[in-house]
Amino acid sequence: MALVNAHAHGHVSSSEHHDHPDLEEMRTFGFWIYLMTDVIIFGTLFATYIVLQGNRNGGPGPAELFQLGGIIASTFILLTSSYTSGLAVLAMHKGKLKALMGWLGVTVLLGAAFIVLEVNEFIHLVHEGATISTSAFLSAFFTLVGTHGLHVSLGLVWMIALIIQLAKHGITPVTKRKVNVISLFWHFLDVVWIFVFTIVYLMGVR
């Protein structure tokens, strides 16, 4: 009888375990939902920029304002940071904690350099008299590019916090999920920037 009861209890426990989905998978799914909302937000901002880019209120346009040298450097830096975040994921899958933290650190430094260049660009534009309130074109420009920059900044804070967590706890199922998620987020920001670079800058100065 005891054996029957033990078997029954074991069966219930196994069934209960089967009925509860993996929390890490659920959290990853939740991130995908968040990413879809970001796609909608950036899609709306791009559409707004395309509609308003010709409304300059007699002020300067992209050809007069944008300096492609700095933008190309920013693009190269961000693309490189996407590559280093990929190397971090590879290091994680190989169980190399120090390499994982090192590549995340390099990604943070590259992302910070990107933000510095973007802030310098905004300061330059403001000194030229091109502010967010100068025209509808500039309002759309600052909103689109600034929103991307804000996402990069939040990603940097997130990555630094993850490096600290890795230093404390090492590679665990939780930290693995977080590394995969931040890498996906970073690649997404890279793709958005490619659209910004093409639509805003390249097409703007042609």
Side-chain angles (χ1 to χ4, degrees):
M1 183 70 177
L3 287 173
V4 172
N5 287 337
H7 176 74
H9 285 309
H11 178 73
V12 170
S13 176
S14 174
S15 174
E16 286 178 350
H17 177 75
H18 179 73
D19 289 339
H20 284 82
D22 182 10
L23 284 177
E24 295 309 312
E25 289 182 3
M26 290 293 291
R27 287 166 180 158
T28 301
F29 178 70
F31 173 76
W32 275 105
I33 294 175
Y34 157 75
L35 208 58
M36 292 304 102
T37 64
D38 252 8
V39 169
I40 295 171
I41 289 171
F42 278 109
T44 303
L45 292 177
F46 275 113
T48 303
Y49 177 83
I50 290 169
V51 170
L52 297 179
Q53 62 180 333
N55 300 340
R56 299 168 190 173
N57 195 30
E64 294 82 22
L65 292 173
F66 298 154
Q67 298 177 342
L68 275 186
I71 304 305
I72 290 172
S74 296
T75 302
F76 176 77
I77 288 171
L78 197 62
L79 289 176
T80 303
S81 74
S82 187
Y83 176 69
T84 58
S85 74
L87 291 176
V89 173
L90 288 176
M92 177 187 72
H93 289 315
K94 293 179 180 178
K96 298 179 178 179
L97 178 60
K98 288 184 178 179
L100 165 59
M101 293 172 61
W103 285 121
L104 286 177
V106 173
T107 305
V108 168
L109 292 176
L110 291 169
F114 173 84
I115 290 297
V116 168
L117 288 174
E118 187 166 284
V119 170
N120 285 338
E121 181 197 13
F122 282 6
I123 292 172
H124 169 75
L125 292 175
V126 170
H127 284 167
E128 293 291 318
T131 68
I132 195 170
S133 59
T134 300
S135 65
F137 151 64
L138 284 168
S139 295
F141 165 78
F142 278 109
T143 303
L144 171 58
V145 179
T147 299
H148 178 268
L150 178 62
H151 276 71
V152 172
S153 299
L154 291 174
L156 292 177
V157 174
W158 184 0
M159 212 173 291
I160 291 169
L162 180 53
I163 292 172
I164 294 171
Q165 190 171 8
L166 284 165
K168 288 182 178 180
H169 304 292
I171 300 173
T172 67
V174 173
T175 55
K176 274 187 177 181
R177 188 256 308 169
K178 290 182 177 181
V179 170
N180 284 324
V181 164
I182 188 61
S183 181
L184 178 62
F185 180 68
W186 206 253
H187 291 317
F188 166 74
L189 293 180
D190 241 31
V191 172
V192 172
W193 180 255
I194 289 171
F195 279 102
V196 171
F197 178 68
T198 303
I199 295 172
V200 176
Y201 294 104
L202 287 184
M203 294 177 64
V205 301
R206 75 187 189 281

